[in-house]
Amino acid sequence: MTATEARRTLPVPMHRTTVYRLLKRVEREGEQALAERRHGYPTKLRGEVLTWMLDYCQNHRTAASSEVQRLVAERFGLSVSVSQLNRVRAAHGLSRQAPPREKTPKTGLMIASGHHEQAGGLLLLAAATETGLLTPLEQALPPAPDSPCLPMAGSPAVRRRLVLTLLFLGAVGLQRTWDLRGYTADSLALLTGRTRAYGYRYTEAFLSQVARADGAERITEMLGSWATHLWHPTEAAAEAERPHCLQALTCYVDGHRKPVYSDVLLPRGLVGRLSVVLGCRALLLLHDEQGHPLFVTTHRGDQHLTAGVPALLERYEQQVQTSHVARMIVDREGMATEFLARLHAEGRIVVTILQTNQYRDLSSFSDVGPFEPLSMDTHGQVIREVAPARITLPREKHPDDPLRLQVALIRDLRRKVETRPDPEKTEYPRRWDGDLSLEEQAWWREGWKATAAPAKATTAKLIPIVTTEAIPTIDAVELAQTYIHRWPAQENVIKDYLRPLGLDTNHGFAKIAVENSEVTKRRTRLEQRIVRLKQWAQSAGKREALASRRRERLRQILASRSKESYQELWAYQRTLEEQGVANHVLRREVKERKAIADAELEQLRAKEWHAYEQCNAEFRKQERYCKEQCEVLRALEDLKEQARTMYELDNRKDQIMTVCKVAMANLAMWVRDQYFPPSYAHATWKRLLPFFQLPGTITQNSTMVQAELRPFNDRALNRDLVILCERVNQASPRLPDGGRLSFTIQPSCCVLAAQKVSKTP
């Protein structure tokens, strides 16, 4: 059939597009293009075929419908579609069940073999196992929620890997979980036992779930117990013999504020490293005598050190239960009399430094002993000397019970300060030319020459270190060295370990509206001011009324006495005239009598004038107080209109990450003390980090994980690396999966440029 004939046989009611498609198919395939290709109704399964199929599917629930289709075609010669078989199986409840997959239980961390960018970091992972950090850290996690909400509801292995992810973020150079979005290295995956590190969303979801489930409190308490037992272990036998005997610790306490930049108003405080007042978070850090961080808490930015320390010590001792902070060293921020008296009443010894406004010079101290050398320069000259002394500080709330402190009075001979004059003996200021002679004081004359002004009186700077220890005599040198050791033992640890690990990084900015503490302080001051002004105005009004009545009474007395005096004087004059007294005698006698009367009246007039002036003064006072009340009320109204809503940050996520960073700092210091050469006794995090970042190849068997590290390009560092590998291999620390860690160094071969040229064809 040709195309023209086919066109004539087509029915009329067809779409033009369909006609063109059929014509092209006919031109391409010929008559086969017009063959019937519809399948009609699907083949129905009845009788023996249906019975056999149901019996087979009942005994083989995992059999695929394609397999059943093949067996039906072979046995009965029927072609049944797979979709029809699926419908029949579903109608009889015999749908295919996937075969269960055999899963190997993952109880530990799997260390992947091969080349890794940060193979040296396995030492930190082994330290987390050797110090016993992983087990209490996992136990401190809150229980999984009832609803299957990942990742908290994951397996124990997943929870451990997530905890290690948070712990080792700072070790691989990441500041926050957000940095995981662009992280492509394998270092974090190696330390967490995964092929690839967890992403941002999964890790952040885990951190948020732990924070919402009160995980911050549990992990903080775990940190105090673990760090104390790590650096101050107690013998089991000694603890059994004396279960109630607490280990006395000497600790350093300091506050640290990290700024939080936000569009809303946050509680503000003084950020020390920036010397500005900003919205911030306030941290309280507790270090032991060697500078190891033992405990940390997070608070709102306007909390003062003296308000948070008592609660911090109580919480720490309640959790540890084996140690007692018997001696505490704090900076001058804790130099508050009531704060020291409270801690002294609790049986604690506090060592701090006096503020400059609490003393003037040596005369402010009593019982000053002889000065002893404290430190010398390279030439053997004494640059600092110290002497024991005492000082008594008054207490506002207990004026009858002042605070008596022992003092280690340091005199810095290198620094000179101007002598402060005694305020009780202050004289009138001398002229600027008072030291010049009379001729030299004629500075207005032509040819006058200026001479150098006399030097001001100076004295050595005093640094008073005080303690609440109640003993007859103190060792001034030991007390001074104890406080001076605070800078390397605490300040340097914060600067050299905690800040490089991201202590100043904020995590989580959720906030709730709270009472504006700054507005509350100002409102309280204004309300107290207006109450005082009302009292003063009422008192001034009463005094003005009394003075007015006294003035009126004195005026009446003056008028009455004046009238009586002049009447007496007139009567006396008439009497003298009747007696025929001479005129000059009359005038003299009258004048004398008038002077006596005027003197008496003048006294009364002065009293009246004084009452009048007092009345006016009290009136002006009352007017001023009433005017100031209006101004204060105006200030209250303006404060109410201009007050901004203050928001308090949710510190739970930040506290969890801070605990992880403090724990990481303890791990680094423990690794430094255990495995590094003695020359690294005071090494910082930045000095240790190159060893943890060494790349290498990892091979393992059932009992050993061996890391072959690439050497440095520096001979001194390579010598230290050899000692490190020897110590690690000698100790053979364990990894979380139970394997032992071993370090070796790859052989280095130096290829000269001439050798490279000679090898080229």
Side-chain angles (χ1 to χ4, degrees), residues 46-56:
R46 299 186 180 89
E48 183 181 1
V49 179
L50 179 61
T51 303
W52 179 89
M53 190 205 71
L54 294 178
D55 183 64
Y56 183 83

Side-chain angles (χ1 to χ4, degrees), residues 178-185:
W178 178 263
D179 298 336
L180 289 170
R181 298 175 73 249
Y183 183 71
T184 58

Side-chain angles (χ1 to χ4, degrees), residues 27 39 206 226 364 387 412 559 753:
E27 292 176 356
H39 296 286
F206 174 73
W226 169 76
S364 303
D412 194 343

